[in-house]
Amino acid sequence: MKTQAILKACGEAGVRLARFFYCDNGGVIRGKTTAMPGLPDRLSDGIGLTVAMMAMNSLDQLQSVEGMGPVGEIRLVPDLDSFIILPYAPYSAALYCDMVTGNRTPWEACPRTFLKRMRERAAARGVHLQAAFEVEFSLAQRQADGSFTPFDETLCFSSIAMAMATQYVDDLTAALEAQDLTVEQYYPELAHGQHEISIRHAEALTAADNQLKLRETLRSVAWQHNLYASLAPKPWPNAAGNGAHIHFSLWDKNNANLFYDAATPDYFSLQGRQFLAGVLAHLPALVALTCPSVNSYRRLQPQSWSSAFAVYGHDNREAALRITSPFWSDVSGSVNLELKAADSSCNPYLALGGLLAAGLDGLERQLDPGNAIAIDPASLSEAERQTLGINRLPTSLDEAIAALEADTLLMEALGPLLARSFIAVRRSEANAYRGQGTDFEVAGHFYKY
Ligand code: GLU
Ligand code: MG
């Protein structure tokens, strides 16, 4: 969108404030807001932000990171194409921002710029990533004592849950459509109060922006209904977790899906297999970006359809990577992979950038993913898993961070400042929750994403 069109849209809608948003290393969406008189200049100049904010963890504890001290500012410069008037806050607009240095160059620690860099890597091969997040969330009511209880106590895919949530879901869908997000599916999920909504796939940068718009909308519409929408990976320790499964496929310049091959039994191409192999090879490290909170590892347990093992399979709900069965009416356009080891505590720019870097590495090295797994890996003994080369994903944030640090490809892709700050922030969270008990962990994640 052009500046003039944004100003005109704001004028017509009576917008008073525009939110300049970014997503930080802790996966939290933060921002600053400008009033209308300053908007024309700020659309080009951005709004200043101290560099130290990217060293802030999700408990607002500032970490000591070289290059992110108390001195120095960057600018939050909005991507004009991300402009939306917020349907749930009609006198406010929002834009998603890149972090830019005073010299007008991209800041090395900007997650959105990281994804753009990986997008350029893909473009150099003539390809781009299409992606979509399939988001599970828990609708909750807050009790007088401050505790959260599930909005419903119904069954998986239950029509009763649909009936109870009708007004919320109608308003949610309308709010998403008003922001040009195309809703694919909605249904009540397994846990009490748990629901799922999926948004149509888009090019990776738009898909990441869409994930932030979706998170904002889920929470804001719930708030208007006196409800809380929790996007925590495991809001209630004894109930099903909230995934944000990432569906993805690789496309060429002529808009052909490179994961599709009519000549293979599963319609899945050789390039698709190589890309998959790359993601699989880097998965123990990649989960530090896709499942990056302490609470994420309470979700990634065997036999909970969240995935706990670094394997792939056809429609295997216990595999971290699933080759999905295509739509009958659009086989060539719908062959895609689903990464189940992902949740909404991730910064979507980091998650998709990491995914792209890993997959491109698979293409570059022409990796082979080995055999698809057609059983539940948890049904095998440890010895049988070893024989088949089936490895457990990291079981804690500490393990995932260690795997990331050891992954040269992902560390180089992130670059020193982003890698250093991300690891400092996430490691500090692991330390902050260590030994503090489940209640503290749940309270710290329940209403943060
Ligand atoms: N709730 C599951 C998860 O944590 C996913 C259930 C499903 O949609 O298959 O990822
Ligand atoms: Mg689901």
Side-chain angles (χ1 to χ4, degrees), residues 136 189 194 196 241 243 245 299 304-306 317 340:
E136 293 170 335
E189 261 280 0
Q194 191 181 33
E196 170 172 326
H245 303 172
R299 167 178 167 259
S304 50
W305 292 3
S306 302
R317 283 186 163 64
K340 294 175 79 72

